[in-house]
Amino acid sequence: MEHFNRFGNMSPTQEYMHRPYLMDRAPFQIRGNLYFVGNLWCSSHLIDTGEGLILLDTPCAGSMPGLIHNIWKLGFNPEDLKYIIVSHAHTDHYACVNALVHLSGAKTFLSAVDAKDMREHPERMEAMNRELIGQSTRYGVCELLLSGVTSVLDMYYFEDQVAAACEEMGIRAYVGQTIIDMETCDSKNTDQSLAMCEELIRKWKGHERIRPVVAPHATNTNPPEVLKAAYELAERYDVPYTLHVSEMDYELEMFREKYDQTPAEFLYGLGVLGERTIAAHCIHMTDRDVEIFRETGAKISHCIGSNTKSGKGVCPLRDLKAAGVAVGVGTDGPSSGNTLDLFHQFRMIPAFQRTRYHDRSIFTARDVVAMGTIEGARVLGAEKETGSIEPGKRADLTLIETESVNMFPVYDPYSAIVYSADASNVDSVWVDGRQLVKGHRLRFADLSAERKALDGMMKEFREQSVKYADIR
């Protein structure tokens, strides 16, 4: 508290805004329309586009007063700021990574229900086909790109169609062929789905943007030998391995009754937890489970929207982060979470974590943005190529405008992203240096045409969905 008393009776906020050392470096013109406006905390730059200002390399709230001051000193009006690009210390930038989605699950707006034999969305099995999955993937990618997501991890059926659609649409995608011990819309049994998964790997491994993934559905929907075989396949080809873990109450009951273990303990004993493992959900985690994930380097996709919509619980993020476990942000499928937009997830994370732990100081806006960027990349094993703005990394970028009514004022870019921004504020998106969204519009796809094409394919799906209208 001594620090906040140096300016007499000023409040902490007033004192913070008047710190002299935030304004100790004179701004200057580098060349043309590029200016240096940084201070002791950062090396920020300003671009004058002629139609507005773009502020680059803005690390945190602590730098903003000095940056605003330097913009004024150069003769510009800070109110002309149109865009702020967030980055700092080679860690954070705003190109979102959706760490789990089921892209092709057409939006039925049904709740995710605990159904012991995978019948929570039975219309998927009865009406899904290769063509519908391909088109619904295209539409899903439209939503992802328009909401600023540049990388996505998907687990679904006919994943070769998903890969092809993602490749054409330009997004960075990690595609996982579902392996599950039941007949599905694309395979008769696990032997066939494992073979399909290996074929997917052989076809797409080495692609710059499309990465194959081995995706056994869940701990309780595959026998141990299949979970093991799937992991061995992932090891053989050096690709990620993803599955649902500790999501359902009945899942925990089954493992407790059958093995006297938690799902995480079971996977540990089976030898399928490692740095390539991406576990979705992980709601019901014991202290021992957290330690297992720390020890093995297994990673987690946190799907707060889906988890809380279905009343399943809240992942113990504070404990996992304290243990050093990498956690990214996912949306789950559109049938479970109703959206592929990470902005919704961002503001839910601190709300639920602070409520769970009764601690308003945890999960700052900066922490949440990191989970959606560099931490998401780390979960995917891609932190050396994306997730932050650094020389040599792929140019995956999202530009957020600050002109809309919900984006003023911006004292802290991180807080603005987490608590104020939504998908409508995404102005531009680049993946691998190619601009896919400009001025809030897709550059290489017609959203209306994609929607019309999908709508035309959903007649049978809608007819099947009527049978399950009581699922809410």
Side-chain angles (χ1 to χ4, degrees):
M1 292 302 293
E2 178 182 356
H3 171 75
F4 290 115
N5 290 327
R6 290 181 298 158
F7 290 84
N9 295 324
M10 282 187 179
S11 69
T13 300
Q14 290 172 321
E15 187 272 342
Y16 158 81
M17 294 292 286
H18 285 80
R19 293 176 187 172
Y21 58 83
L22 295 181
M23 304 174 184
D24 66 339
R25 296 172 70 177
F28 61 89
Q29 183 179 20
I30 298 174
R31 63 179 179 274
N33 63 347
L34 178 64
Y35 300 84
F36 176 81
V37 292
N39 51 49
L40 191 65
W41 281 24
C42 63
S43 298
S44 298
H45 297 81
L46 186 75
I47 297 175
D48 177 16
T49 68
E51 298 180 355
L53 305 174
I54 298 176
L55 185 60
L56 303 170
D57 307 321
T58 308
C60 61
S63 68
M64 287 305 294
L67 299 183
I68 296 298
H69 178 79
N70 284 344
I71 291 171
W72 276 113
K73 287 176 72 174
L74 286 170
F76 294 110
N77 187 343
E79 292 183 1
D80 291 334
L81 276 172
K82 283 194 171 184
Y83 306 110
I84 296 174
I85 297 180
V86 179
S87 69
H88 179 56
H90 309 307
T91 54
D92 301 334
H93 78 115
Y94 198 68
C96 288
V97 178
N98 191 331
L100 177 75
V101 66
H102 304 299
L103 271 173
S104 308
K107 288 189 176 180
T108 59
F109 293 101
L110 302 178
S111 298
V113 181
D114 285 5
K116 295 187 179 181
D117 53 0
M118 264 294 287
R119 292 195 183 92
E120 65 264 45
H121 302 297
E123 68 277 12
R124 293 181 184 177
M125 297 301 106
E126 297 183 26
M128 293 304 287
N129 56 58
R130 180 181 294 274
E131 292 72 26
L132 179 56
I133 283 176
Q135 185 57 42
S136 58
T137 296
R138 291 179 63 87
Y139 193 75
V141 171
C142 289
E143 181 178 353
L144 289 167
L145 291 174
L146 289 169
S147 62
V149 175
T150 60
S151 296
V152 60
L153 168 63
D154 182 60
M155 172 202 289
Y156 209 67
Y157 307 103
F158 291 112
E159 204 68 10
D160 58 329
Q161 288 292 105
V162 173
C166 289
E167 197 279 333
E168 185 177 348
M169 297 290 284
I171 198 167
R172 192 178 304 282
Y174 294 72
V175 294
Q177 174 64 42
T178 296
I179 302 160
I180 188 168
D181 191 24
M182 61 179 284
E183 183 175 351
T184 68
C185 57
D186 68 349
S187 68
K188 297 290 185 181
N189 51 48
T190 54
D191 288 340
Q192 184 180 355
S193 54
L194 279 165
M196 292 172 65
C197 188
E198 186 166 12
E199 183 179 350
L200 181 78
I201 295 171
R202 288 176 174 173
K203 181 176 180 179
W204 292 97
K205 186 171 171 59
H207 192 282
E208 286 191 350
R209 287 186 294 100
I210 310 302
R211 311 291 172 84
V213 176
V214 179
H217 176 262
T219 59
N220 58 312
T221 55
N222 283 299
E225 60 271 20
V226 172
L227 293 172
K228 186 71 174 178
Y231 193 77
E232 290 171 353
L233 179 64
E235 285 190 311
R236 189 183 320 141
Y237 287 97
D238 190 24
V239 298
Y241 174 90
T242 187
L243 74 169
H244 299 70
V245 177
S246 296
E247 179 186 8
M248 307 292 195
D249 291 339
Y250 67 79
E251 174 193 359
L252 271 72
E253 293 172 7
M254 188 202 86
F255 278 94
R256 187 163 49 245
E257 293 174 2
K258 191 171 183 178
Y259 302 104
D260 193 26
Q261 292 179 314
T262 65
E265 289 171 334
F266 173 79
L267 294 174
Y268 181 68
L270 201 58
V272 299
L273 288 180
E275 292 186 0
R276 74 179 68 254
T277 304
I278 304 170
H281 304 299
C282 295
I283 301 168
H284 309 290
M285 300 282 281
T286 65
D287 290 344
R288 174 56 181 153
D289 293 341
V290 172
E291 173 59 24
I292 285 172
F293 270 66
R294 184 206 63 77
E295 177 186 334
T296 60
K299 304 170 178 70
I300 292 173
S301 171
H302 176 49
C303 305
I304 185 63
S306 170
N307 297 162
T308 53
K309 176 190 173 186
S310 54
K312 294 173 183 173
V314 178
C315 173
L317 276 188
R318 184 178 71 175
D319 302 339
L320 289 161
K321 297 295 289 180
V325 178
V327 182
V329 185
T331 59
D332 209 350
S335 294
S336 302
N338 300 96
T339 181
L340 306 181
D341 173 8
L342 288 184
F343 288 99
H344 286 82
Q345 320 304 316
F346 282 177
R347 60 178 56 93
M348 293 178 75
I349 290 170
F352 278 93
Q353 292 299 318
R354 292 172 182 181
T355 301
R356 176 190 171 106
Y357 290 103
H358 303 286
D359 184 352
R360 65 184 297 173
S361 69
I362 61 175
F363 288 93
T364 65
R366 187 185 180 93
D367 295 332
V368 175
V369 172
M371 285 179 62
T373 53
I374 188 62
E375 287 301 307
R378 188 167 289 117
V379 166
L380 296 174
E383 69 275 17
K384 293 182 179 180
E385 59 180 311
T386 188
S388 59
I389 301 175
E390 296 184 56
K393 284 195 173 186
R394 315 307 297 183
D396 292 1
L397 301 165
T398 296
L399 198 60
I400 301 171
E401 56 84 11
T402 58
E403 290 187 329
S404 295
V405 65
N406 62 312
M407 293 298 289
F408 178 83
V410 179
Y411 296 118
D412 179 353
Y414 291 95
S415 290
I417 289 170
V418 173
Y419 295 110
S420 300
D422 57 43
S424 69
N425 300 119
V426 173
D427 179 271
S428 300
V429 176
W430 293 261
V431 176
D432 215 25
R434 183 186 183 208
Q435 188 169 13
L436 302 179
V437 176
K438 182 178 182 180
H440 308 276
R441 298 177 66 87
L442 297 164
R443 293 191 66 208
F444 302 106
D446 184 329
L447 182 60
S448 296
E450 298 294 345
R451 178 173 177 172
K452 183 177 180 180
L454 178 58
D455 188 54
M457 293 183 180
M458 290 187 66
K459 182 177 182 294
E460 183 181 358
F461 190 93
R462 290 192 182 96
E463 291 174 351
Q464 296 295 344
S465 296
V466 171
K467 299 179 183 180
Y468 310 102
D470 60 332
I471 300 178
R472 291 290 184 266

